[in-house]
Amino acid sequence: QFVESVPPLPLYSKPGQTRLIAADVGGLVDEFITRISEELDFRREAENAIRFRELYGSSSIVVPKVVAELCTRNVIVMEWIEGTKLTSVRESIDEETIAENISLLEEGVVSTLRQLLDVGVLHADPHPGNLLKVKKGNGEDSSSLAYLDFGIISTIPAEVRDGLVCAVALLIFKRDVDAVAGLFAELQILSEDVINDPAEKAALAASLHNLVDAFLVYRQEEFDSKTTQVPTLRFDRLVQGLSTLIPRFQLKAPPYSLNNARALATLDGIARRLDPEFNVLRVLYPFALNSILQNNRQSETVTRTLKLLTTNSETGQIDRTAVSQIMRDISLLTGRSKTRIIVDVVRTRGGRRLVLSYFRQMLRSIFARRTKGNRNSSVEPIFGL
């Protein structure tokens, strides 16, 4: 209540602002206390572990079994997991072990992205003590990644997941900060006062331009112009910048947002300790593009973003060069062939819609050329294949 009662500073506030910190500080504190209480209730943690295992347990992701009948509010009983910490590799001189652990951490990042952006149920505390390297056994020499400690599990609404993947693609592929500012409503962090005020939205976009220049770092080196340059994400600058925007634009911080940021930042930090060249955006960017192309939830936000990414703003037609570049980016960053990517895309409703739009445009183009008497014009191959 004291923090929320501090009056605004004249030079850094907008007309009508009644307090310095516009965010719901009391709500954030209440959320923190609630999460602490939940972490101390082992019955809830047992439920979280069971749910997490059902969603993500596999040969590559190990989640301990819970003995539900033995669990109480003060006691949790689960399967014992034998493994080693991923961060202990620097104690080893075995380069093969180091490479394997880095690979497992990349799997962890992909798993976290799937939790955060696809399914919407996230292990929000993946610190080094909660991630183990576990031998698969059964004669196999490879290892799996094991998750422990399910006291904090976040649930992310579908519209927020859609907003996040769209923001990543728009920032990296298009470098369209204005479009990202327009997504803040979907991300549920912008108040109605700002959403409905054109001047405030313009001011937010201007502030985001400065922020993006700070937290996305591009290397000053030559790169293939046919592919998209993926910058490095500076989490510290991102958090610092957002902290200045919160009071100015009354940004709301949903409870899960802090957990989401912490989970990704923690994994990024662990990976960088093992591999200083690791770049989480090189994993996040193709993941976001795939999600947008497939659009499994038939989101209008994703549909609009896909149109921004793949159409020519002047003609309104599908930009074959942009579509081909998206496919090339995914292929180069994931190691999958463009043919395989297209096959996966057309298996989804959103992907089929994109392909049908392309063919409709292609047929209209052929008809227009033939109407003009140019019957020998060639047709560009789909997606550059």
Side-chain angles (χ1 to χ4, degrees):
Q1 290 180 342
F2 170 75
V3 173
E4 293 181 345
S5 69
V6 177
L9 299 175
L11 294 178
Y12 299 97
S13 60
K14 67 173 187 175
Q17 185 172 331
T18 59
R19 62 191 191 190
L20 177 62
I21 306 297
D24 182 9
V25 178
L28 290 174
V29 173
D30 289 341
E31 176 64 23
F32 175 77
I33 297 300
T34 299
R35 295 302 177 194
I36 291 295
S37 299
E38 289 177 355
E39 266 204 280
L40 296 175
D41 185 347
F42 289 129
R43 291 173 301 187
R44 178 178 289 275
E45 181 171 348
E47 293 171 359
N48 288 342
I50 292 171
R51 185 184 185 193
F52 196 86
R53 180 183 171 85
E54 290 173 348
L55 288 172
Y56 307 116
S58 66
S59 60
S60 57
I61 300 295
V62 176
V63 182
K65 295 179 181 178
V66 172
V67 186
E69 61 270 22
L70 298 181
C71 295
T72 68
R73 178 178 177 80
N74 300 312
V75 176
I76 184 170
V77 180
M78 61 176 64
E79 173 188 12
W80 178 263
I81 300 293
E82 191 73 45
T84 57
K85 291 184 179 181
L86 292 171
T87 50
S88 65
V89 297
R90 284 304 179 192
E91 300 167 8
S92 170
I93 59 173
D94 185 352
E95 292 298 326
E96 184 177 346
T97 300
I98 294 176
E100 182 183 33
N101 285 24
I102 291 173
S103 176
L104 280 176
L105 267 175
E106 290 178 352
E107 285 186 26
V109 172
V110 172
S111 174
T112 296
L113 293 178
R114 180 170 173 247
Q115 297 165 35
L116 171 62
L117 302 175
D118 186 13
V119 180
V121 177
L122 171 73
H123 187 300
D125 194 20
H127 62 71
N130 289 342
L131 297 173
L132 293 180
K133 173 183 175 181
V134 179
K135 289 294 181 182
K136 287 187 176 180
N138 298 323
E140 294 188 52
D141 193 38
S142 57
S143 301
S144 300
L145 183 68
Y147 281 84
L148 305 176
D149 187 354
F150 303 92
I152 305 179
I153 298 292
S154 292
T155 302
I156 302 95
E159 57 270 23
V160 174
R161 286 178 266 153
D162 294 335
L164 286 171
V165 297
C166 292
V168 170
L170 287 168
L171 274 179
I172 297 178
F173 187 77
K174 297 281 285 187
R175 300 195 188 185
D176 192 340
V177 179
D178 293 333
V180 173
L183 290 171
F184 270 44
E186 279 78 7
L187 294 174
Q188 300 182 359
I189 60 177
L190 203 59
S191 69
E192 291 293 330
D193 291 342
V194 178
I195 292 174
N196 298 324
D197 187 334
E200 281 298 284
K201 290 184 70 174
L204 174 62
S207 297
L208 282 178
H209 274 280
N210 295 329
L211 176 57
V212 168
D213 289 341
F215 74 76
L216 292 184
V217 181
Y218 289 88
R219 291 188 175 185
Q220 300 300 316
E221 58 184 27
E222 293 293 327
F223 70 98
D224 184 357
S225 61
K226 293 182 179 180
T227 60
T228 303
Q229 187 181 19
V230 181
T232 300
L233 174 61
R234 289 289 302 271
F235 273 104
D236 55 340
R237 295 179 183 178
L238 173 60
V239 173
Q240 182 180 12
L242 287 176
S243 67
T244 64
L245 296 184
I246 288 175
R248 170 62 181 84
F249 296 101
Q250 304 180 56
L251 298 186
K252 297 178 289 185
Y256 49 77
S257 63
L258 299 177
N259 291 333
N260 299 349
R262 180 176 66 172
L264 264 184
T266 299
L267 282 172
D268 180 67
I270 297 172
R272 284 174 181 272
R273 286 172 60 185
L274 305 179
D275 178 10
E277 296 299 314
F278 178 80
N279 184 356
V280 69
L281 287 184
R282 294 182 66 85
V283 182
L284 176 52
Y285 172 56
F287 190 101
L289 290 180
N290 260 320
S291 298
I292 291 172
L293 288 174
Q294 296 179 16
N295 194 9
N296 292 321
R297 290 186 288 272
Q298 294 298 290
S299 160
E300 288 301 319
T301 299
V302 173
T303 299
R304 290 196 303 270
T305 300
L306 181 60
K307 185 175 181 180
L308 284 173
L309 296 175
T310 60
T311 60
N312 185 300
S313 59
E314 295 180 357
T315 65
Q317 299 295 307
I318 291 179
D319 185 338
R320 289 188 287 266
T321 301
V323 175
S324 182
Q325 183 171 334
I326 288 174
M327 297 298 174
R328 189 181 298 109
D329 286 347
I330 298 174
S331 178
L332 288 175
L333 293 171
T334 63
R336 296 158 59 205
S337 70
K338 287 198 288 185
T339 302
R340 179 72 261 170
I341 293 166
I342 292 173
V343 169
D344 290 342
V345 167
V346 297
R347 286 177 175 173
T348 66
R349 186 179 299 177
R352 289 192 294 271
R353 181 185 298 175
L354 174 64
V355 174
L356 287 174
S357 296
Y358 174 88
F359 277 118
R360 280 197 297 267
Q361 177 180 314
M362 185 177 68
L363 290 173
R364 284 195 296 267
S365 178
I366 294 173
F367 179 78
R369 286 197 295 267
R370 291 196 171 188
T371 300
K372 293 179 180 179
N374 186 4
R375 298 175 179 272
N376 296 321
S377 297
S378 62
V379 178
E380 293 183 31
I382 184 167
F383 303 150
L385 291 180

